[in-house]
Amino acid sequence: PAGLSWIGHQELMGTYANLYQSDIKDNYAAFILPISRKNAVGMDWYHSGFDDSELNFGENRFDLTWAMQIQRKFSAGLTAKFRTRDTDLDGVTVNHGSGFGMDVGALANPLRGLRIGLVAQDVFDTSIHYSGGYSTLAFPRNVRAGASYRYRDRAVLACDIDDRWHIGAEVGPLDLLALRVGVEGDRSASEGATLTTGIGIKAGIFRVDYAYVIPPTLSPTSHFGL
């Protein structure tokens, strides 16, 4: 969340994916609004779900974020999250649950081109409380650290780590074109790494993004963004 205060302009975005070609739809929409030179707010909606003639499962997350540049090279942010889960069978609601969560993050820019970040996700553990009177711990607390280095606005190298490690790179040979590659893996599992390739194209105020994710065992997934 701390990164929002560095964007400096309004931004509206959306993404879509059919995960692993399994008809599990993955949708995301977000809006960012700077409210002063050092403050910004953002809101987004994430949905993942499966729907066929009999079974319907869906999960939604609504986020509201505030970020502030505390000093010229340091910012902090806070995200409040509301989650819902619903399961329907033959048009009848079998389960409905909801819960609140919170993320806290900090971002530092100690050297030109270098950024270091830390985020605590679901700080208080996020539980889903169901209408039947029971609850489950859906998202336990997680801490993620990351860093990125940008070279002359033409290349970026980034990495972060929690229970998984992630490394990615972007090269912009032209102002309107970005080429990307990435790899991630589980720190404790023995399965192979997940590979990603991607491309971004700018046209005026618009940017179109595409990523092709190749897991070690499941079918590949195409992600589209605008």
Side-chain angles (χ1 to χ4, degrees):
L4 291 187
S5 59
W6 298 86
I7 294 176
H9 57 261
Q10 294 184 51
E11 190 170 285
L12 179 66
M13 69 172 294
T15 68
Y16 167 82
N18 180 354
L19 297 182
Y20 317 118
Q21 303 176 33
S22 64
D23 288 333
I24 299 176
K25 302 303 192 300
D26 201 75
N27 301 290
Y28 179 76
F31 176 64
I32 299 166
L33 177 66
I35 55 177
S36 71
R37 188 171 62 88
K38 294 185 177 182
N39 292 266
V41 295
M43 59 189 71
D44 63 27
W45 165 71
Y46 168 77
H47 171 78
S48 182
F50 173 83
D51 186 9
D52 62 18
S53 58
E54 297 180 356
L55 180 64
N56 181 3
F57 173 80
E59 179 174 282
N60 292 279
R61 189 189 74 228
F62 303 90
D63 297 337
L64 181 62
T65 296
W66 168 73
M68 179 178 67
Q69 291 188 32
I70 299 174
Q71 296 179 345
R72 186 169 60 91
K73 295 186 177 183
F74 182 79
S75 66
L78 176 71
T79 298
K81 307 189 289 187
F82 176 67
R83 294 179 178 268
T84 66
R85 281 182 176 177
D86 294 277
T87 304
D88 297 340
L89 185 62
D90 293 329
V92 178
T93 299
V94 177
N95 254 334
H96 170 75
S98 61
F100 290 92
M102 181 178 294
D103 297 345
V104 179
L107 188 65
N109 187 13
L111 301 172
R112 183 175 181 179
L114 176 66
R115 286 183 177 172
I116 300 172
L118 184 69
V119 60
Q121 300 170 308
D122 298 287
V123 179
F124 305 109
D125 294 328
T126 300
S127 296
I128 301 296
H129 305 276
Y130 290 94
S131 53
Y134 66 96
S135 63
T136 60
L137 175 60
F139 301 93
R141 182 170 51 250
N142 179 57
V143 177
R144 174 180 286 190
S148 70
Y149 180 73
R150 178 179 294 273
Y151 179 73
R152 294 185 178 180
D153 292 329
R154 287 298 185 188
V156 179
L157 178 66
C159 63
D160 59 49
I161 187 168
D162 49 12
D163 59 333
R164 298 178 66 83
W165 53 267
H166 317 253
I167 300 175
E170 175 185 286
V171 177
L174 303 171
D175 290 339
L176 55 76
L177 179 66
L179 304 176
R180 306 181 182 112
V181 63
V183 60
E184 68 170 354
D186 196 314
R187 293 171 59 192
S188 58
S190 58
E191 68 177 22
T194 295
L195 304 177
T196 301
T197 60
I199 187 172
I201 300 174
K202 292 182 180 179
I205 64 171
F206 295 99
R207 190 185 77 215
V208 178
D209 293 304
Y210 172 75
Y212 188 67
V213 181
I214 310 170
T217 55
L218 299 173
S219 298
T221 298
S222 292
H223 292 260
F224 303 90
L226 175 65

